[in-house]
Amino acid sequence: MTLAVCTACGQYKFGALVRCERCSHLPVTALDKAKAMTVSDHNFGGETLEEFKNLIEAGTELPYDPVSLASSSAPFQEEAYFEENFDFTNGMLSCKRCNCPFEPTNEEVFCPRCMEEANPLLSVCMSCDKVYDSSGNFCQKCGNRLIQRSERRALEVGREIAVSVRRILSNKDPLEQCEFLLQLRGQLPSEDLASSQHEFENFAMYTAVMALRQFVESGELLVAIVKEMVEIYRASFVIQGVREVDSQQIPVLYMRRFDEYDRVVARNPDQWMLLLADTVTKNCYGVERHLKAAMEMVL
Ligand SMILES: [Zn+2]
Ligand SMILES: [Zn+2]
Ligand SMILES: [Zn+2]
């Protein structure tokens, strides 16, 4: 049984999604449910949960990571979509992606065609590690029989990668390596800091895309995974207060940056890391200002 902390009052409870006995809080929205799951022994040990309990009881807002929240609320959002739109009289649902009506067999929210296109089950080749959607039975590279990953789907992988990129960045700030830059950064206005952070996030996501390309042969499958990764970042901005309608621009900006990086890599595939680092530096206001300030100090 899951040990969880009530996100409203800090009381311990068994089951993250149940009503709190002390304050009657019940997680209802997808975001509330994601928060409730976060503050449970699914994610943290007893000592950390105790710390969270104390923080909540003291009235402090927990430092939820918006990207993790976006990722863990995505399945709850699908659940909510199903509950709101499923027609009990005829057993039909409009597909969440293309709107066409279909008969779900397992509370899925995508019609069979969209499922195949946007959220296919994954298969792997055990001998060369390539990942495929489950439409074929054999590896296109070595001809071995593929093993189907039971219930591993493209969207889930995209969500996990979004969270991993975020974790890597929050555990290892690239600028922190250099004390000099760190000092200079302390003097930057917060807008520049934010855009520099975004650029690094963009770059880290692109690096994840490059890594995925080694494993994923099919362009369509790669796109399905990458789109979901980017979608999680869009949703994380909504969680941070960006309006839904404004957030629609965010995936476009990410994809544009990926194209830009692609063109840089294509110029010299052997030295793409160096070239890309240069481009990222130029794009990244924070770093550019850092370097300018550094040059001025040296000259
Ligand atoms: Zn409570
Ligand atoms: Zn559909
Ligand atoms: Zn193979």
Side-chain angles (χ1 to χ4, degrees), residues 94-100 102 109-115:
S94 326
C95 170
K96 190 171 188 279
R97 188 162 170 266
C98 74
N99 243 343
C100 88
F102 73 105
V109 295
F110 299 121
C111 72
R113 219 188 72 205
C114 286
M115 203 62 157

Side-chain angles (χ1 to χ4, degrees), residues 176-233:
E176 217 124 86
Q177 307 296 319
C178 179
E179 216 175 289
F180 177 62
L181 288 182
L182 198 63
Q183 268 178 14
L184 279 170
R185 180 161 66 169
Q187 300 161 17
L188 284 177
S190 60
E191 265 167 49
D192 285 358
L193 264 184
S195 50
S196 114
Q197 183 61 30
H198 289 166
E199 184 66 32
F200 275 125
E201 224 152 54
N202 234 321
F203 177 51
M205 276 198 267
Y206 184 76
T207 313
V209 176
M210 292 294 277
L212 271 175
R213 281 190 178 137
Q214 314 284 316
F215 298 101
V216 181
E217 289 282 271
S218 136
E220 281 143 48
L221 181 57
L222 184 75
V223 166
I225 296 174
V226 170
K227 269 195 170 161
E228 183 63 8
M229 172 181 79
V230 167
E231 163 58 22
I232 292 302
Y233 274 82

Side-chain angles (χ1 to χ4, degrees), residues 23-35:
C23 77
S24 301
H25 173 73
L26 177 71
V28 173
T29 64
L31 187 58
D32 279 347
K33 286 179 181 170
K35 284 183 178 173

Side-chain angles (χ1 to χ4, degrees), residues 21-288:
E21 278 178 17
R22 182 160 76 187
C23 77
S24 301
H25 173 73
L26 177 71
V28 173
T29 64
L31 187 58
D32 279 347
K33 286 179 181 170
K35 284 183 178 173
M37 291 299 290
T38 303
V39 197
S40 75
D41 61 7
H42 274 293
N43 291 295
F44 295 104
E47 264 175 49
T48 315
L49 285 184
E50 183 75 22
E51 276 171 39
F52 288 155
K53 178 185 166 61
N54 293 337
L55 279 174
I56 296 170
E57 282 179 339
T60 314
E61 172 78 5
L62 291 187
Y64 296 105
D65 174 53
V67 173
S68 306
L69 280 185
S71 170
S72 45
S73 63
F76 291 122
Q77 244 149 24
E78 287 174 4
E79 219 175 84
Y81 179 87
F82 186 90
E83 277 163 23
E84 273 163 39
N85 297 287
F86 181 66
D87 187 341
F88 283 94
T89 57
N90 60 9
M92 303 290 276
L93 180 76
S94 326
C95 170
K96 190 171 188 279
R97 188 162 170 266
C98 74
N99 243 343
C100 88
F102 73 105
E103 209 178 324
T105 51
N106 201 15
E107 304 207 348
E108 72 274 19
V109 295
F110 299 121
C111 72
R113 219 188 72 205
C114 286
M115 203 62 157
E116 207 170 286
E117 272 175 28
N119 197 16
L121 268 176
L122 302 181
S123 301
V124 285
C125 169
M126 298 307 272
S127 81
C128 56
D129 278 344
K130 296 274 181 199
V131 179
Y132 296 90
D133 64 35
S134 44
S135 58
N137 292 322
F138 297 97
C139 176
Q140 284 159 31
K141 204 173 158 237
C142 72
N144 271 1
R145 184 169 270 283
L146 297 174
I147 310 261
Q148 200 169 93
R149 283 298 194 207
S150 57
E151 292 310 302
R152 290 290 280 173
R153 291 190 174 272
L155 290 189
E156 197 187 324
V157 172
R159 287 165 194 168
E160 278 170 19
I161 292 174
V163 174
S164 312
V165 165
R166 179 65 159 213
R167 275 214 190 111
I168 291 168
L169 280 177
S170 48
N171 290 343
K172 204 174 195 165
D173 183 336
L175 287 188
E176 217 124 86
Q177 307 296 319
C178 179
E179 216 175 289
F180 177 62
L181 288 182
L182 198 63
Q183 268 178 14
L184 279 170
R185 180 161 66 169
Q187 300 161 17
L188 284 177
S190 60
E191 265 167 49
D192 285 358
L193 264 184
S195 50
S196 114
Q197 183 61 30
H198 289 166
E199 184 66 32
F200 275 125
E201 224 152 54
N202 234 321
F203 177 51
M205 276 198 267
Y206 184 76
T207 313
V209 176
M210 292 294 277
L212 271 175
R213 281 190 178 137
Q214 314 284 316
F215 298 101
V216 181
E217 289 282 271
S218 136
E220 281 143 48
L221 181 57
L222 184 75
V223 166
I225 296 174
V226 170
K227 269 195 170 161
E228 183 63 8
M229 172 181 79
V230 167
E231 163 58 22
I232 292 302
Y233 274 82
R234 184 201 65 81
S236 81
F237 280 97
V238 174
I239 289 174
Q240 290 169 87
V242 172
R243 287 192 313 163
E244 190 76 37
V245 44
D246 296 335
S247 76
Q248 301 302 331
Q249 227 10 54
I250 290 167
V252 181
L253 293 175
Y254 277 129
M255 291 302 191
R256 203 177 287 164
R257 238 349 169 237
F258 291 168
D259 285 344
E260 186 189 329
Y261 293 161
D262 267 344
R263 285 196 295 277
V264 172
V265 171
R267 280 214 303 274
N268 191 343
D270 294 331
Q271 292 194 319
W272 68 272
M273 261 301 194
L274 266 179
L275 286 170
L276 210 52
D278 188 45
T279 307
V280 172
T281 308
K282 282 188 188 131
N283 286 341
C284 184
Y285 296 163
V287 174
E288 198 179 24

